[in-house]
Amino acid sequence: MKKTRAPLAMPPPPDRRRFRQRLLAWYKRHGRDLPWRKTDDPYHILVSEIMLQQTQVDRVLPKYEEWLVKYPSFEALASAPEQEVTKTWYPLGYNIRPQRLHSIAREAVAKYGGQLPADEETLRSFKGIGAYTAGAIRSFAFRERAAILDTNVARVLFRVFVGQGDPKSHAMKQHLWKVSATLVPNRHVFDFNQALMDFGAMVCVARNPRCLICPMAKSCRAFNGTLHHRGDGGHGVKTSEG
């Protein structure tokens, strides 16, 4: 007889509160000092988010500063020649990204007076702004209660609150979006979402996660399940992602 998997459950309120408290306490001590965390300019936030797609922070830092000196606003970027924009982007790679950023700038100038709107539906109508980037802009620029889910965040939430199954399946991604949405606090949204990303980049990393110093270890389903079944201190959690 085929065994059916229990439906994915949302974390109960006590678990949510504990996770928020531990994450924010960790971030207060260990969060990275990054220039795009010192602004609420939607354009600056968008530039950083597009640059950080599939690119390490240390490679983005000098280019982010250079870009904003050359193109300080949507208007400045929109009026620049496309070939020049692509050249300025070098050597970050994935050249579809500067083209999308250029296109967003032109649309923002043409339709919205050189500004980005704050509502999710309009943000996602821009080609190049998906669910994650819209959530990032809303929470980081407009301080709205908006969920995010990138690779790092999905890994953290999967390990802590699920621990088994296929983290790359469509159903799991949909579930993790719901988990992320339920976790977003009413206050400190900016810090919470930034903390999620830092935690995935610095502690709950893809390979050899730092489980033994992780403030979530006691309640982490992947850590405790792996520890129980494998007896290897929880470092086998990386195998859950293939």
Side-chain angles (χ1 to χ4, degrees):
M1 183 175 179
K2 187 176 180 181
K3 187 177 180 180
T4 57
R5 188 183 297 275
L8 295 168
M10 301 303 294
D15 291 356
R16 299 176 208 170
R17 287 194 294 271
R18 183 166 51 246
F19 180 83
R20 292 185 194 113
Q21 290 166 356
R22 290 177 178 174
L23 183 67
L24 287 169
W26 174 87
Y27 181 69
K28 190 174 182 179
R29 293 191 301 271
H30 304 291
R32 294 175 291 187
D33 181 19
L34 301 172
W36 44 86
R37 291 181 176 169
K38 300 172 183 177
T39 179
D40 59 4
D41 186 314
Y43 170 65
H44 292 196
I45 300 295
L46 176 68
V47 170
S48 70
E49 291 299 335
I50 299 291
M51 285 188 171
L52 287 164
Q53 292 172 4
Q54 302 182 47
T55 305
Q56 295 293 323
V57 167
D58 58 352
R59 292 186 61 212
V60 168
L61 284 167
K63 185 57 66 174
Y64 172 79
E65 302 287 1
E66 177 192 338
W67 184 275
L68 291 181
V69 168
K70 191 165 188 177
Y71 310 120
S73 64
F74 278 121
E75 288 87 352
L77 178 57
S79 63
E82 186 172 323
Q83 188 175 1
E84 177 195 290
V85 170
T86 302
K87 186 177 179 181
T88 304
W89 189 265
Y90 181 84
L92 293 183
Y94 300 100
N95 285 341
I96 189 66
R97 291 183 296 167
Q99 294 168 16
R100 285 176 178 167
L101 193 50
H102 199 201
S103 173
I104 292 168
R106 288 179 169 175
E107 187 172 348
V109 169
K111 294 183 179 179
Y112 304 102
Q115 303 294 322
L116 273 184
D119 68 287
E120 181 179 13
E121 184 178 356
T122 309
L123 280 171
R124 293 190 63 179
S125 71
F126 286 83
K127 189 173 182 179
I129 297 183
Y132 164 77
T133 304
I137 292 168
R138 290 176 62 214
S139 62
F140 300 148
F142 299 109
R143 301 301 200 266
E144 293 190 359
R145 190 175 182 272
I148 59 169
L149 192 78
D150 66 357
T151 302
N152 282 340
V153 174
R155 182 171 59 250
V156 171
L157 300 186
F158 174 79
R159 287 174 174 171
V160 173
F161 295 108
V162 184
Q164 61 180 343
D166 179 6
K168 297 180 181 179
S169 72
H170 177 73
M172 185 64 74
K173 287 179 181 177
Q174 293 298 108
H175 175 68
L176 294 176
W177 265 112
K178 292 177 183 177
V179 172
S180 183
T182 64
L183 290 172
V184 179
N186 290 317
R187 296 186 301 159
H188 310 301
V189 175
F190 181 100
D191 286 346
F192 180 80
N193 280 345
Q194 295 284 3
L196 271 177
M197 295 191 295
D198 271 8
F199 195 76
M202 299 166 67
V203 177
C204 195
V205 294
R207 298 185 181 278
N208 300 315
R210 304 174 69 191
C211 301
L212 299 182
I213 65 164
C214 176
M216 310 298 176
K218 287 184 179 179
S219 56
C220 176
R221 294 197 174 193
F223 175 79
N224 289 292
T226 304
L227 184 65
H228 177 73
H229 293 298
R230 294 168 58 106
D232 63 1
H235 292 287
V237 293
K238 66 179 182 293
T239 61
S240 69
E241 295 193 2

